Amino acid sequence: MGDWRTVVFNTPTEEPSFNQAGQKIIGGGMPIGNGETTAIVFPVTSSFSTSPDFRLGEGVHVWLGMTTAMASDMAPFSLGIVSIFTDPPLGVRGFRQSLHLTNATVDISTSVGSICVWVDALSNSAHARVSGPFRSLNVSVQSVRPTSRFSYSSRCSSPTSAADTWSRPAGEASVGLSHRIMDE
């Protein structure tokens, strides 16, 4: 029997999964965070789209949120998805996805290489370490919010939010997100 402080998936979850209402969801994600910055880390082994504007390719994805970022209806607010793509792709041979409760990391490894993701305990920084004989590495960031003003589906009846603004606050190896709720 393995260490109870490590949760392991030996096969990837086919994404997207579906909830009981038949809606597309991420079903194979593992949660990490520091109490304020939260994330779900999940692999995608076959690209898929949920709409014309939203696509996830084959790679490891980190869906970021913050407990202090709330929508105008007080629902938790997702910030965006950071996607890590490798060449060659990780694939599924020798697949292992592990959530290590002792250090709050998620490792996704195959016979090709591995990606380890964690949220720093003392800051609101998410980190990834990629290991393997990869020819190239590509990181992309996409908002899960529309690119123009929009309304939430709850109690808001007029646009209450400005579009997300992406930046590079600490240079080329960093990504920042700014979002503003408008109280009009």
Side-chain angles (χ1 to χ4, degrees):
M1 185 156 107
D3 184 348
W4 66 268
R5 297 167 295 187
T6 301
V7 178
V8 176
F9 296 165
N10 288 313
T11 58
T13 302
E14 185 177 336
E15 302 292 1
S17 299
F18 296 89
N19 65 15
Q20 291 179 343
Q23 299 165 320
K24 293 179 181 177
I25 62 167
I26 299 303
M30 291 182 162
I32 56 174
N34 65 5
E36 183 174 5
T37 300
T38 61
I40 296 290
V41 181
F42 60 98
V44 169
T45 58
S46 182
S47 300
F48 69 90
S49 296
T50 58
S51 74
D53 299 323
F54 187 80
R55 181 180 184 279
L56 289 177
E58 183 177 347
V60 173
H61 305 276
V62 184
W63 193 315
L64 292 166
M66 290 186 79
T67 58
T68 54
M70 293 187 181
S72 55
D73 65 355
M74 301 307 289
F77 193 77
S78 294
L79 298 178
I81 297 177
V82 177
S83 299
I84 303 167
F85 305 104
T86 59
D87 181 23
L90 283 176
V92 296
R93 200 171 104 232
F95 180 89
R96 182 177 169 98
Q97 180 179 347
S98 306
L99 168 62
H100 303 280
L101 300 176
T102 55
N103 63 5
T105 61
V106 172
D107 286 307
I108 298 174
S109 63
T110 67
S111 59
V112 175
S114 65
I115 298 176
C116 179
V117 181
W118 69 96
V119 173
D120 188 281
L122 302 175
S123 71
N124 287 320
S125 299
H127 302 269
R129 181 179 58 244
V130 180
S131 304
F134 300 112
R135 290 185 292 273
S136 65
L137 174 69
N138 184 14
V139 177
S140 71
V141 180
Q142 63 181 315
S143 174
V144 292
R145 301 289 171 216
T147 56
S148 60
R149 286 175 62 93
F150 61 94
S151 298
Y152 291 96
S153 61
S154 186
R155 60 187 165 98
C156 300
S157 58
S158 62
T160 58
S161 184
D164 293 338
T165 304
W166 294 96
S167 64
R168 296 192 183 273
E172 287 298 311
S174 70
V175 176
L177 172 70
S178 173
H179 185 85
R180 170 133 182 158
I181 300 295
M182 313 283 225
D183 290 326
E184 299 175 352

